[in-house]
């Protein structure tokens, strides 16, 4: 190794004990002559340095500095660590921001859908309160009631919450003598099928007999078979029909009574009331005989 003229370490010129190659010395000499700038990694003694040189405009001097590699690497490691932390923080912040935006959009969409569902449900409930049709939806497998319209309390006198808890409470409203009291009309009803039948119920509070026409439809909701029932109150129609039947029966009875009365009157008119009618009156008969003859 050769000494580098003008460059010292701790007041001693760089010499044979330092691992600076001839090529590096030549490169440094040319750089000094050209008054250029650069850096070089050298080993001086047991320590490795970064040699940094910078040309100046003062008499073609070159400023040279030595920085231990460990210090530079430690600084770079710390800078790299901080850089990674900053980048990771920025990435995490962006990820959180994206997640928050997605959650916000999902929340807004979900809230809008919930609002629409709430409005539709409220509208449906208001409408169902003023009609004589009860709507039910129950699971085909578990018979759990998913929905029942609140007007069932007005039509049958039973709170809708009780029906929601156990649909079998409706069977208890059938008259005890009804042969179809324990019949399961929904058994075997599949998706897309429909059944219709009539049922008689007793109002829970007034014990009034009420008649319903029931339409059951099988449907699939979220992969599960559901039974949708529409129970239409036909009590008023049945009462009208019964009143008409009673009126017809009464008219027929009255007509038969009239016919019997007219028949009896005709027979009475044709038959004399006095057994002596038709015989000649004696000469000394009282006036009623002559009156009868005049009739």
């Amino acid at each position: 190794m050769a000494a580098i003229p003008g460059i010292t370490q701790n007041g001693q010129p760089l010499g044979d004990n330092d691992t600076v190659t001839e090529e590096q010395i030549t490169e440094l000499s040319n750089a000094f002559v050209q008054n250029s700038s650069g850096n070089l990694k050298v080993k001086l003694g047991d320590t490795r340095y970064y040699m940094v040189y910078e040309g100046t405009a003062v008499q073609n001097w070159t400023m040279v500095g030595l920085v231990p590699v460990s210090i530079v690497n430690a600084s770079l490691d710390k800078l790299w660590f901080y850089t990674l932390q900053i980048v990771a923080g920025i990435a995490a912040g962006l990820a959180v921001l994206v997640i928050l935006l997605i959650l916000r959009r999902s929340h807004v969409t979900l809230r809008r859908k919930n609002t629409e569902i709430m409005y539709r449900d409220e509208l449906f409930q208001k409408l169902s309160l003023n009609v004589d049709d009860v709507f039910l939806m129950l699971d085909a497998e578990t018979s759990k009631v998913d929905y029942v319209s609140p007007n069932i309390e007005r039509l049958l006198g039973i709170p809708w919450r009780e029906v929601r808890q156990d649909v079998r409470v409706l069977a208890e409203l059938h008259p005890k003598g009804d042969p179809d009291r324990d019949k399961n009309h929904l058994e075997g009803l599949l998706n897309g099928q429909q059944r219709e039948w009539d049922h008689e119920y007793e109002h829970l509070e007034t014990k009034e007999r009420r008649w319903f026409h029931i339409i059951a439809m099988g449907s699939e909701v979220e992969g599960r078979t559901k039974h949708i029932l529409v129970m239409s109150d036909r009590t008023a129609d049945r009462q009208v029909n019964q009143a008409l039947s009673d009126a017809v029966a009464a008219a027929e009875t009255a007509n038969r009574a009239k016919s019997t009365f007219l028949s009896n009157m005709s027979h009475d008119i044709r038959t004399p009331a006095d057994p002596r009618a038709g015989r000649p009156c004696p000469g000394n008969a009282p006036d009623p005989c002559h009156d009868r003859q005049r009739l």
Side-chain angles (χ1 to χ4, degrees):
M1 297 295 178
I4 304 177
I7 299 179
T8 62
Q9 179 191 14
N10 298 328
Q12 300 294 327
L14 298 179
D16 295 336
N17 294 329
D18 303 313
T19 56
V20 181
T21 64
E22 294 290 343
E23 183 180 354
Q24 291 175 325
I25 293 175
T26 303
E27 181 182 352
L28 285 173
S29 299
N30 293 333
F32 292 165
V33 171
Q34 297 174 4
N35 200 28
S36 61
S37 302
N39 61 80
L40 185 65
K41 190 175 182 179
V42 297
K43 181 179 180 181
L44 304 178
D46 296 332
T47 306
R48 302 182 66 84
Y49 293 88
Y50 283 111
M51 179 182 291
V52 182
Y53 50 89
E54 178 75 24
T56 65
V58 181
Q59 297 181 0
N60 294 328
W61 285 11
T62 300
M63 298 178 62
V64 179
L66 293 175
V67 181
V69 172
S70 59
I71 296 178
V72 175
N73 289 344
S75 300
L76 289 177
D77 291 341
K78 185 178 295 185
L79 179 62
W80 177 249
F81 177 74
Y82 290 153
T83 303
L84 286 179
Q85 284 186 328
I86 294 173
V87 172
I90 294 175
L94 291 176
V96 171
L97 180 61
V98 171
I99 293 174
L100 289 177
L101 290 176
I102 295 175
L103 291 177
R104 178 177 176 81
R105 179 174 297 179
S106 301
H107 179 71
V108 172
T109 304
L110 184 61
R111 185 173 59 183
R112 185 182 299 114
K113 290 183 178 180
N114 289 338
T115 302
E116 294 176 358
I117 293 174
M118 182 181 65
Y119 286 162
R120 286 200 297 265
D121 185 65
E122 184 69 18
L123 178 61
F124 184 78
Q125 289 191 8
K126 294 298 183 184
L127 292 175
S128 64
L129 288 174
N130 300 313
V131 298
D132 293 335
D133 296 327
V134 177
F135 302 93
L136 290 96
M137 178 184 289
L138 60 152
D139 190 86
E141 182 178 354
T142 63
S143 297
K144 179 182 178 182
V145 178
D146 297 325
Y147 176 81
V148 57
S149 56
N151 60 341
I152 193 172
E153 186 168 357
R154 174 173 60 86
L155 296 175
L156 290 175
I158 185 170
W160 65 269
R161 289 184 176 85
E162 293 186 12
V163 181
R164 185 72 181 272
Q165 293 176 357
D166 189 0
V167 71
R168 290 175 295 183
V169 297
L170 290 178
E172 299 177 0
L173 298 180
H174 295 316
K176 294 182 179 180
D178 189 352
D180 295 335
R181 177 183 175 91
D182 298 325
K183 183 178 180 179
N184 185 7
H185 294 273
L186 299 177
E187 185 176 2
L189 182 63
L190 302 178
N191 180 27
Q193 295 181 347
Q194 179 174 319
R195 293 178 185 172
E196 298 184 27
W197 67 92
D198 293 321
H199 249 329
E200 183 180 357
Y201 294 92
E202 285 186 357
H203 196 280
L204 184 63
E205 297 178 355
T206 64
K207 304 303 179 182
E208 176 190 4
R209 292 290 182 93
R210 306 193 70 87
W211 290 266
F212 284 82
H213 180 72
I214 303 174
I215 301 176
M217 296 165 285
S219 180
E220 186 172 343
V221 180
E222 296 181 354
R224 297 185 63 88
T225 302
K226 304 289 183 178
H227 291 159
I228 300 174
L229 280 71
V230 181
M231 303 173 57
S232 300
D233 187 6
R234 295 290 186 265
T235 304
D237 297 339
R238 189 178 181 91
Q239 290 174 348
V240 170
N241 293 334
Q242 186 64 39
L244 291 175
S245 299
D246 294 343
V248 170
E252 292 177 350
T253 302
N255 191 32
R256 286 194 299 269
K258 178 181 178 182
S259 299
T260 302
F261 174 76
L262 292 177
S263 177
N264 294 335
M265 287 295 295
S266 176
H267 179 269
D268 291 342
I269 292 174
R270 292 194 305 269
T271 304
D274 193 334
R276 294 177 300 174
R279 294 179 183 180
C281 292
N284 56 354
D287 290 340
C289 181
H290 298 283
D291 295 338
R292 189 166 56 249
Q293 287 179 350
R294 285 195 298 268
L295 290 174

